[in-house]
Amino acid sequence: MTNNTGWNFDNSYARLPEKFFLSQNPTPVRSPKLIIFNHSLASSLGLNAEALQTEEGVAVFAGNWIPESSMPLAQAYAGHQFGHFTMLGDGRAILLGEQMTPTGERFDIQLKGPGRTPYSRGGDGRAAVGPMLREYIISEAMHALGIPTTRSLAVVSTGETVYRETELPGAILTRVAASHLRVGTFQYAANWGTVEELRRLADYAIQRHYPGIPEGENRYLSFLEEVMKRQAALIAKWQLVGFIHGVMNTDNMTISGETIDYGPCAFMDAYDPATVFSSIDRQGRYAYGNQPPIGGWNLARLAESLLPLLHENEEKAVELAQDKISGYPKLFHAHWLKGMRAKIGIFNEEEKDESLIEELLNMMQKHRADFTNTFRSLTMEKPEDTVLSGSTEFTAWYGAWQERLGRQPESKDSSLELMRSSNPMVIPRNHKVEEALEAAGEREDYSVMERLLKVLATPYEYLPEQVDYCTLPDSSGRPYRTFCGT
Ligand code: AMP
Ligand code: MG
């Protein structure tokens, strides 16, 4: 193995107490083939894109070769899955280490689908090509939309079969993250660790993600507050583009504030708060409209886990935690309202803005208006293109909106510019993603996906070549369904 690939791992997570991980090498695969590779991400990580695409380079993405500085491990964590608490851990993921970039940043490099680990339970530790390409497409689209997220560096097909309901071609995704610390990591520490281990984990998370928090009495309360702030901002961003995560279990909520775990996620077409795509979410626990309160519920689980660090008196600790967490709905709402104002070109604040926004959303729900395309049409000053147009209700709303815009000092052009940067022209529409995955899966034709990725890379550009990607799915079809753990 030549050493010109640029891998430069540190392994700070492996320096945590042993309870937090188990060393585990990937299981080699038969005949790895690189099917998608993220050049620009590789460069920003200080990696040599050329060298990584050679057979030797690809061997790392396949788990067939371990770079010298890597210490592969599976992380331990727990989590509330659909409300039920369970011990989990990386059942089909292995952390290679933390890539240290030339600018001194630190990113987790993790293989998803590299074979069994001690946390695999009944699973095979593997992943299939379709879902891994899907994660690649959607995570990169989220990044381009300006939403904090884990990234995707590469997908390799393994040349091996995975057995699900049918036989599927196997794949491994290389995921890049600020870290893989999650609410569930703290739940694990609180349930199975000592207070000292919990403190080590919290100090580690602070050092990695919130180094501005000073030493001192309220350190862990500040930590809780900072995680809450990032999650409130993140979930507001999801709501503003119609992103439905689909499986907001506490093990899928990061401490860094990045979106993680693209399983059954999908983007909403027609505006409806009850929208659910995941086949297993029969109660609608993780429906679009429930994401903000579920974020609060998950943060309460983080707060519970931190109690021993907040105060030696448990009652006092609970009081401090509750007091902090009670600020979440307001914080979320402020982010959401600011974002919604921007989506309709409003810079300053008026008391009635919220009802103006609610009226629009209500009309959209009533007429099953497409979320993205409605805001896009308003941005392009083509209200006649929306399904709302023609109704007296909408005409009245439009007039009130124009008057509202006229009452702010900024020009109409500035408003339109604000709208353009707040309303994506394109999102990864489910039927477009499926089309790309089908071509890749059935014909090994990756060109459809490459084109889709190119369009999704500049969602706020309003380019003519993006128009094709704004079309709605055929409404005669069955409702779109997504699947977990695939
Ligand atoms: P998720 O719902 O994707 O976040 O996964 C929940 C848990 O199931 C995690 O601990 C995963 O590591 C584990 N898991 C999912 N798929 C597999 C698999 N094929 N083999 C082993 N573990 C898995
Ligand atoms: Mg997960």
Side-chain angles (χ1 to χ4, degrees), residues 77 81 88 112 175 182 247 251-252 260-261:
Y77 55 84
Q81 298 192 301
L88 295 160
K112 189 168 173 181
R175 178 157 76 180
R182 13 174 136 232
V247 61
D251 53 303
N252 293 337
I260 196 172
D261 226 325

Side-chain angles (χ1 to χ4, degrees), residues 46-99:
L47 297 168
N48 180 339
E50 293 291 303
L52 284 176
Q53 291 173 87
T54 63
E55 201 179 321
E56 286 182 331
V58 171
V60 174
F61 299 135
N64 287 5
W65 185 271
I66 314 289
E68 211 175 299
S69 50
S70 158
M71 285 175 67
L73 60 87
Q75 294 181 328
Y77 55 84
H80 274 92
Q81 298 192 301
F82 290 89
H84 303 284
F85 188 66
T86 331
M87 172 61 202
L88 295 160
D90 284 334
R92 59 154 171 183
I94 289 175
L95 180 72
L96 291 182
E98 301 135 27
Q99 170 72 5

Side-chain angles (χ1 to χ4, degrees), residues 214-434:
E215 296 281 348
E217 200 186 341
N218 291 324
R219 180 171 164 82
Y220 304 108
L221 198 59
S222 302
F223 169 60
L224 175 62
E225 182 173 18
E226 293 306 315
V227 177
M228 180 172 92
K229 281 188 193 161
R230 285 205 199 159
Q231 284 295 337
L234 176 70
I235 297 171
K237 287 189 169 168
W238 292 355
Q239 299 306 96
L240 292 166
V241 297
F243 173 76
I244 302 172
H245 184 283
V247 61
M248 285 177 73
N249 295 332
T250 55
D251 53 303
N252 293 337
M253 191 187 222
T254 60
I255 295 302
S256 66
E258 287 183 342
T259 311
I260 196 172
D261 226 325
Y262 293 89
C265 65
F267 281 73
M268 176 169 66
D269 296 304
Y271 175 73
D272 183 353
T275 309
V276 173
F277 291 108
S278 170
S279 56
I280 59 165
D281 191 3
R282 294 202 182 85
Q283 312 290 322
R285 178 182 170 92
Y286 299 139
Y288 172 76
N290 275 352
Q291 296 191 127
I294 285 290
W297 192 88
N298 288 350
L299 288 164
R301 306 288 80 74
L302 175 64
E304 269 168 18
S305 306
L306 292 173
L307 287 179
L309 305 182
L310 298 184
H311 202 279
E312 57 209 19
N313 175 322
E314 197 183 326
E315 239 169 77
K316 186 79 187 127
V318 170
E319 208 176 290
L320 288 168
Q322 272 173 348
D323 181 53
K324 199 50 86 188
I325 289 293
S326 68
Y328 167 79
K330 215 170 145 195
L331 197 57
F332 165 80
H333 186 259
H335 282 292
W336 178 83
L337 188 55
K338 186 164 188 277
M340 283 306 295
R341 279 197 175 101
K343 281 178 89 71
I344 57 170
I346 298 178
F347 288 93
N348 58 3
E349 295 179 13
E350 276 186 18
E351 211 177 301
K352 289 206 173 132
D353 290 343
E354 193 165 354
S355 52
L356 190 70
I357 291 159
E358 291 294 349
E359 277 167 35
L360 175 63
L361 292 175
N362 289 341
M363 276 186 288
M364 286 167 64
Q365 187 173 356
K366 193 163 113 192
H367 295 276
R368 297 201 56 74
D370 182 79
F371 186 73
T372 305
N373 283 358
T374 302
F375 287 104
R376 169 177 154 246
S377 299
L378 296 179
T379 304
M380 296 173 81
E381 297 188 280
K382 287 184 176 169
E384 66 278 9
D385 285 357
T386 70
V387 296
L388 308 176
S389 133
S391 74
T392 49
E393 209 186 352
F394 180 66
T395 311
W397 181 86
Y398 197 84
W401 175 45
Q402 292 301 310
E403 270 178 37
R404 170 66 182 92
L405 293 182
R407 283 199 299 275
Q408 60 183 0
E410 287 80 4
S411 67
K412 186 79 193 279
D413 278 351
S414 316
S415 273
L416 290 173
E417 211 170 291
L418 176 64
M419 289 175 71
R420 240 177 65 157
S421 59
S422 311
N423 296 314
M425 165 112 171
V426 284
I427 49 159
R429 295 226 175 240
N430 304 320
H431 63 292
K432 289 290 176 190
V433 174
E434 289 303 312

